[in-house]
Amino acid sequence: ALSSLALPSMLHAQDPSAPLHATLAVFADPIFTIPTDFTGLSYEAAQLANPAFFAPSNKELVQLFRQLSPSGVLRIGGGTSEYTTYSDAAPTEPTPFEVFGPDTDKTNKKGTVTTARALENLRGFLDATGWSCLYGLNLGQGTKENAVNEAMAAHRILGPRLVALQIGNEPDSFRNRFRPASYTPEDFVREWSEFREAIVAKVPDAKFAGPDISNKLPYLTAFADVAMKHKDVVMLTGHYYAMGPAGRPDATIANLLSEEPKSTTMKWSGVATIQDAMKKTGLPYRISEGNSCWNGGQRGVSDTFASALWCADAMLRFASYGFGGVYLHGGGNGIYSPIVGAPSTGIIARPEYSGMQFAQRLAGATLMQVKLDCDDNLVRAYAARAAKHAKGIQHVALINKSNRVVEIGLPKEILAGKPWQSEKLSAPAIDATSDTTLAWAGKVTHPQTTLRLEPYTALHLARD
Ligand code: BDP
């Protein structure tokens, strides 16, 4: 795997062993304040079939959520949310499984039941973690009556922890699946509106988010038009997978780390359409689900340190586009899952989790305009102003996705002022599946005009 990785950088360089040179400029223009609930995780609705998973008693999971963010968002949905039904009855024992990972083409599509008990435990879990919940209802195969019952229960039980309800997962993929080939964005919006109206009749202060699309932007545009008519739509959402499906020959580390991965579900050129929808509606846009490679993830890629470097950059890049949140999909023992395992066997963080922690360091801060001059677009930079400051730069994130040493010339805005503390995101190898660390890496003292970044590392500089 390592030799193929050298490719992208070598295309640009005569001598791959020589350091890359970069110059960073920071401008006074703020781009976007990253919300404090920017970081999140997405889980399959099927996971609620085991009420003991999202429960305060699942202490390892509570701790991992808290260490990721003191105020994150847990999104419940995914492919299995179109197979779940809600019931007020007591859960049946034994539960069909202990944990449930990402839905894939191989997932056994048996319907699962979400009960009031599962929601009560979920509420306890959210209270214990400080997180809130974006909750998905079944539109693909569920009845309106059942969605109303579930919405009532979620609203009553999750209370202030419920950010918004979503109706349907990836409705832009319903064609030839849950709906005929002739299904259009207008058909979706009409069905969505019927469900919304039925829910509002019983839960007048319900809040909604959507359209939770896979990748087809006309569905977002159609949804945005309807969202403008209803004050209770509080957020626009869509998914992002850098590559996919798993198994494609180009589902590689080199492709994942590249500027625009081949087979991505969202071209960077599509961002303008999303920003138009945000502007038109005045609503935030959030990546409600996403990860490195769909159909469950690519082994040797999605479960390695490469996923951490990718995700540290991708999350901050989305923030620089003005997106208000990124929720990485996972759970179970999924290949791309940031957190894996089960209460009975132990729950652990994968490398990607540390990449998320890296990006989370900038939550609440205001991203400032930067320009990085470098021969290689695998080197990325972000700068931000901390919430309590009116001027200056208090955070710098430098991400080296290349296999070369980078020497970055720093501008006066960074050299002047208080000294910096640094933290390094690194691992023994780019394809390492364990031993990823985000650790204190010392004080950066002045004057130091050039900063050295090792291959495949990211550095977070912070000061008061
Ligand atoms: C998305 C689904 C999610 C899957 C994911 C994948 O919403 O449930 O787990 O793809 O294929 O389309 O990995």
Side-chain angles (χ1 to χ4, degrees):
L2 283 171
S3 59
S4 66
L5 286 173
L7 205 61
S9 310
M10 279 168 67
L11 292 174
H12 301 282
Q14 273 78 15
D15 177 5
S17 64
L20 280 164
H21 292 281
T23 313
L24 180 65
V26 181
F27 304 97
D29 321 284
I31 315 178
F32 177 65
T33 299
I34 306 178
T36 51
D37 63 350
F38 177 76
T39 300
L41 292 163
S42 163
Y43 277 75
E44 293 290 335
Q47 182 58 74
L48 292 176
N50 173 14
F53 187 78
F54 287 118
S57 56
N58 191 353
K59 296 232 161 54
E60 283 180 305
L61 193 66
V62 167
Q63 206 189 346
L64 283 166
F65 271 57
R66 286 176 67 107
Q67 284 168 0
L68 184 55
S69 168
S71 52
V73 175
L74 167 61
R75 178 263 187 167
I76 300 284
T80 60
S81 69
E82 309 295 359
Y83 292 84
T84 56
T85 47
Y86 175 76
S87 166
D88 283 318
T92 48
E93 299 281 350
T95 57
F97 40 75
E98 189 181 13
V99 295
F100 199 96
D103 187 29
T104 69
D105 57 2
K106 297 202 178 60
T107 307
N108 191 356
K109 303 270 194 296
K110 273 198 298 249
T112 56
V113 180
T114 299
T115 58
R117 171 94 56 82
L119 294 181
E120 281 153 15
N121 289 352
L122 173 62
R123 171 67 190 269
F125 179 84
L126 296 167
D127 286 342
T129 53
W131 284 44
S132 48
C133 183
L134 180 62
Y135 192 90
L137 303 168
N138 181 346
L139 177 70
Q141 305 192 91
T143 65
K144 210 189 314 184
E145 292 65 37
N146 200 252
V148 170
N149 284 343
E150 188 165 11
M152 286 167 68
H155 189 262
R156 183 182 77 243
I157 298 169
L158 303 181
R161 296 265 168 215
L162 179 63
V163 178
L165 298 165
Q166 300 213 93
I167 306 170
N169 174 75
E170 303 190 340
D172 55 328
S173 305
F174 277 10
R175 293 175 62 204
N176 295 321
R177 208 175 183 181
F178 309 130
R179 299 292 183 274
S182 58
Y183 194 68
T184 63
E186 290 65 39
D187 293 331
F188 157 64
V189 160
R190 192 175 352 93
E191 283 184 12
W192 184 91
S193 301
E194 282 170 21
F195 271 59
R196 178 197 156 274
E197 256 157 54
I199 293 167
V200 170
K202 296 281 188 191
V203 189
D205 51 350
K207 305 248 181 309
F208 299 91
D212 211 48
I213 48 166
S214 162
N215 62 339
K216 294 182 189 65
L217 294 172
Y219 283 76
L220 176 69
T221 308
F223 184 86
D225 288 335
V226 169
M228 283 193 291
K229 295 189 205 139
H230 305 296
K231 283 211 171 54
D232 50 24
V233 181
V234 294
M235 191 188 292
L236 301 174
T237 57
H239 299 176
Y240 175 84
Y241 283 88
M243 310 186 292
R248 269 178 70 113
D250 57 11
T252 60
I253 288 179
N255 189 27
L256 179 65
L257 297 181
S258 67
E259 166 66 12
E260 178 152 271
K262 288 186 201 77
S263 83
T264 176
T265 59
M266 186 176 89
K267 290 261 186 221
W268 299 134
S269 55
V271 168
T273 307
I274 296 173
Q275 288 171 331
D276 281 349
M278 288 164 62
K279 207 160 159 191
K280 192 165 74 175
T281 57
L283 295 174
Y285 179 83
R286 298 192 173 201
I287 306 277
S288 47
E289 182 197 303
N291 219 312
S292 54
C293 182
W294 64 271
N295 216 9
Q298 181 70 42
R299 207 172 285 286
V301 179
S302 303
D303 53 350
T304 70
F305 178 58
S307 73
L309 274 187
W310 161 75
C311 128
D313 178 42
M315 288 179 70
L316 293 175
R317 183 171 188 146
F318 288 134
S320 74
Y321 293 147
F323 297 178
V326 184
Y327 313 147
L328 277 286
H329 196 52
N333 291 298
I335 296 165
Y336 57 52
S337 301
I339 298 173
V340 290
S344 66
T345 53
I347 297 181
I348 58 157
R350 283 267 182 74
E352 190 171 88
Y353 176 91
S354 306
M356 296 184 76
Q357 280 184 315
F358 182 91
Q360 160 67 22
R361 295 291 198 259
L362 274 71
T366 302
L367 282 175
M368 308 300 285
Q369 205 81 245
V370 298
K371 187 169 183 290
L372 186 76
D373 267 324
C374 182
D375 282 347
D376 197 322
N377 59 21
L378 299 182
V379 186
R380 311 268 310 159
Y382 303 89
R385 175 172 299 161
K388 60 180 181 189
H389 288 267
K391 59 184 177 99
I393 300 294
Q394 289 82 31
H395 291 279
V396 180
L398 302 167
I399 303 168
N400 182 8
K401 299 190 289 177
S402 85
N403 62 349
R404 312 252 316 260
V405 167
V406 189
E407 284 174 358
I408 304 183
L410 300 174
K412 61 175 189 320
E413 291 83 353
I414 291 173
L415 294 170
K418 292 189 179 165
W420 296 88
Q421 305 288 334
S422 72
E423 260 183 316
K424 190 160 92 174
L425 175 67
S426 63
I430 189 67
D431 57 358
T433 53
S434 61
D435 302 312
T436 293
T437 52
L438 176 59
W440 193 71
K443 202 166 169 175
V444 181
T445 44
H446 302 299
Q448 181 175 348
T449 50
T450 309
L451 208 80
R452 197 184 145 88
L453 211 56
E454 298 299 322
Y456 301 130
T457 55
L459 212 55
H460 169 226
L461 308 181
R463 63 183 172 190
D464 291 335

